Amino acid sequence: MLRLTKTAVVVLALALSSGALAAGGSPQLQTYFQGSVDSPAYQQQAFQRVAKAWKQPGPKGTPALGKKTIVQAVLDKDGKLVSTAILTESGAKAWDAAALAAVKKAAPFPPLPKSTTAATVEAHFHFAWVNSP
Protein backbone atom coordinates (compact mmCIF):
# COMPACT_ATOMS: atom_id res chain seq x y z
CA MET A 1 0.00 0.00 0.00
CA LEU A 2 1.26 3.45 -0.87
CA ARG A 3 1.66 5.73 2.12
CA LEU A 4 2.29 9.38 1.38
CA THR A 5 3.55 11.87 3.89
CA LYS A 6 2.80 15.55 3.66
CA THR A 7 5.76 17.87 3.31
CA ALA A 8 5.20 21.55 2.86
CA VAL A 9 2.31 23.69 1.75
CA VAL A 10 3.57 26.85 0.15
CA VAL A 11 1.72 29.41 -1.89
CA LEU A 12 3.87 30.00 -4.92
CA ALA A 13 5.09 33.55 -5.17
CA LEU A 14 4.17 34.28 -8.76
CA ALA A 15 3.43 37.49 -10.56
CA LEU A 16 -0.32 37.27 -11.03
CA SER A 17 -2.06 39.12 -13.81
CA SER A 18 -4.89 41.47 -12.92
CA GLY A 19 -7.31 38.91 -14.40
CA ALA A 20 -6.05 36.27 -11.99
CA LEU A 21 -6.34 38.67 -9.08
CA ALA A 22 -9.90 39.52 -10.08
CA ALA A 23 -10.73 35.83 -9.95
CA GLY A 24 -9.76 35.90 -6.25
CA GLY A 25 -7.38 33.00 -6.51
CA SER A 26 -3.73 32.09 -6.26
CA PRO A 27 -1.68 29.02 -7.17
CA GLN A 28 -0.66 26.57 -4.48
CA LEU A 29 1.70 23.60 -4.65
CA GLN A 30 1.66 20.71 -2.18
CA THR A 31 4.07 17.78 -2.32
CA TYR A 32 3.53 14.30 -0.92
CA PHE A 33 6.14 11.51 -0.87
CA GLN A 34 5.94 7.79 -0.43
CA GLY A 35 6.40 6.95 3.26
CA SER A 36 9.89 5.52 2.75
CA VAL A 37 11.25 9.01 2.01
CA ASP A 38 11.47 10.34 5.55
CA SER A 39 13.88 13.21 4.98
CA PRO A 40 12.16 16.60 5.27
CA ALA A 41 15.24 18.22 3.71
CA TYR A 42 14.99 16.00 0.62
CA GLN A 43 11.26 16.60 0.33
CA GLN A 44 11.82 20.36 0.54
CA GLN A 45 14.52 20.22 -2.16
CA ALA A 46 12.19 18.39 -4.54
CA PHE A 47 9.36 20.80 -3.74
CA GLN A 48 11.59 23.82 -4.45
CA ARG A 49 12.78 22.37 -7.78
CA VAL A 50 9.20 21.92 -8.99
CA ALA A 51 8.07 25.30 -7.62
CA LYS A 52 10.94 27.01 -9.46
CA ALA A 53 10.02 25.23 -12.73
CA TRP A 54 6.31 26.19 -12.50
CA LYS A 55 5.05 28.58 -15.19
CA GLN A 56 1.46 29.62 -14.58
CA PRO A 57 -0.70 29.75 -17.71
CA GLY A 58 -2.63 32.92 -18.49
CA PRO A 59 -6.04 33.71 -17.00
CA LYS A 60 -7.85 31.60 -19.60
CA GLY A 61 -5.76 28.60 -18.55
CA THR A 62 -6.64 28.85 -14.86
CA PRO A 63 -9.06 26.28 -13.41
CA ALA A 64 -12.07 27.07 -11.26
CA LEU A 65 -11.37 27.87 -7.60
CA GLY A 66 -10.66 24.74 -5.60
CA LYS A 67 -9.69 22.64 -8.62
CA LYS A 68 -6.27 21.03 -8.90
CA THR A 69 -4.02 18.87 -10.99
CA ILE A 70 -2.20 15.98 -9.34
CA VAL A 71 0.97 14.84 -11.07
CA GLN A 72 2.47 11.51 -10.05
CA ALA A 73 6.23 11.18 -10.44
CA VAL A 74 8.28 8.03 -9.98
CA LEU A 75 11.93 8.67 -9.06
CA ASP A 76 14.80 6.18 -8.96
CA LYS A 77 17.63 6.14 -6.39
CA ASP A 78 19.70 8.56 -8.48
CA GLY A 79 16.85 11.09 -8.70
CA LYS A 80 16.08 10.26 -12.32
CA LEU A 81 12.47 10.78 -13.33
CA VAL A 82 11.31 7.30 -14.34
CA SER A 83 7.73 8.23 -15.22
CA THR A 84 5.05 10.88 -14.83
CA ALA A 85 1.28 10.78 -15.06
CA ILE A 86 -1.59 13.14 -14.41
CA LEU A 87 -3.73 11.43 -11.77
CA THR A 88 -6.32 14.21 -11.43
CA GLU A 89 -7.21 16.82 -14.04
CA SER A 90 -8.22 20.34 -13.04
CA GLY A 91 -10.63 20.96 -15.88
CA ALA A 92 -8.20 23.43 -17.49
CA LYS A 93 -5.97 21.76 -20.09
CA ALA A 94 -3.35 24.54 -19.99
CA TRP A 95 -3.07 24.23 -16.18
CA ASP A 96 -2.69 20.45 -16.40
CA ALA A 97 -0.02 20.79 -19.10
CA ALA A 98 1.86 23.42 -17.06
CA ALA A 99 1.81 21.17 -13.98
CA LEU A 100 3.18 18.19 -15.90
CA ALA A 101 5.80 20.39 -17.57
CA ALA A 102 6.98 21.75 -14.18
CA VAL A 103 7.61 18.27 -12.81
CA LYS A 104 9.44 17.18 -15.97
CA LYS A 105 11.53 20.37 -16.09
CA ALA A 106 12.51 19.94 -12.41
CA ALA A 107 14.18 16.61 -13.23
CA PRO A 108 16.60 15.20 -12.51
CA PHE A 109 15.92 15.42 -8.79
CA PRO A 110 18.64 14.99 -6.15
CA PRO A 111 19.57 11.37 -5.37
CA LEU A 112 17.22 9.79 -2.84
CA PRO A 113 18.38 9.83 0.79
CA LYS A 114 20.55 6.85 1.73
CA SER A 115 17.91 5.83 4.27
CA THR A 116 15.47 5.13 1.41
CA THR A 117 15.70 1.42 0.66
CA ALA A 118 13.19 1.19 -2.21
CA ALA A 119 14.54 1.14 -5.79
CA THR A 120 11.97 3.80 -6.77
CA VAL A 121 9.67 6.13 -4.89
CA GLU A 122 6.47 7.87 -5.80
CA ALA A 123 5.81 11.56 -5.27
CA HIS A 124 2.58 13.45 -5.90
CA PHE A 125 2.62 17.14 -6.78
CA HIS A 126 -0.71 18.95 -6.27
CA PHE A 127 -1.09 22.18 -8.26
CA ALA A 128 -4.25 23.92 -7.01
CA TRP A 129 -6.05 27.20 -7.66
CA VAL A 130 -7.22 28.38 -4.24
CA ASN A 131 -8.80 31.40 -2.59
CA SER A 132 -6.28 34.19 -2.11
CA PRO A 133 -5.17 34.54 1.52
Side-chain angles (χ1 to χ4, degrees), residues 24-89:
S26 62
Q28 183 182 69
L29 173 63
Q30 293 176 290
T31 305
Y32 301 86
F33 275 83
Q34 187 173 358
S36 64
V37 178
D38 58 1
S39 167
Y42 181 84
Q43 294 173 9
Q44 187 64 27
Q45 281 182 312
F47 171 91
Q48 289 172 346
R49 290 181 70 87
V50 174
K52 184 177 177 183
W54 167 251
K55 301 290 183 227
Q56 182 176 330
K60 291 183 180 181
T62 302
L65 277 174
K67 296 293 184 175
K68 67 180 170 182
T69 303
I70 299 176
V71 176
Q72 174 192 50
V74 177
L75 309 175
D76 73 8
K77 283 190 169 283
D78 295 328
K80 178 183 172 194
L81 187 60
V82 176
S83 67
T84 57
I86 294 178
L87 298 182
T88 302
E89 295 179 352

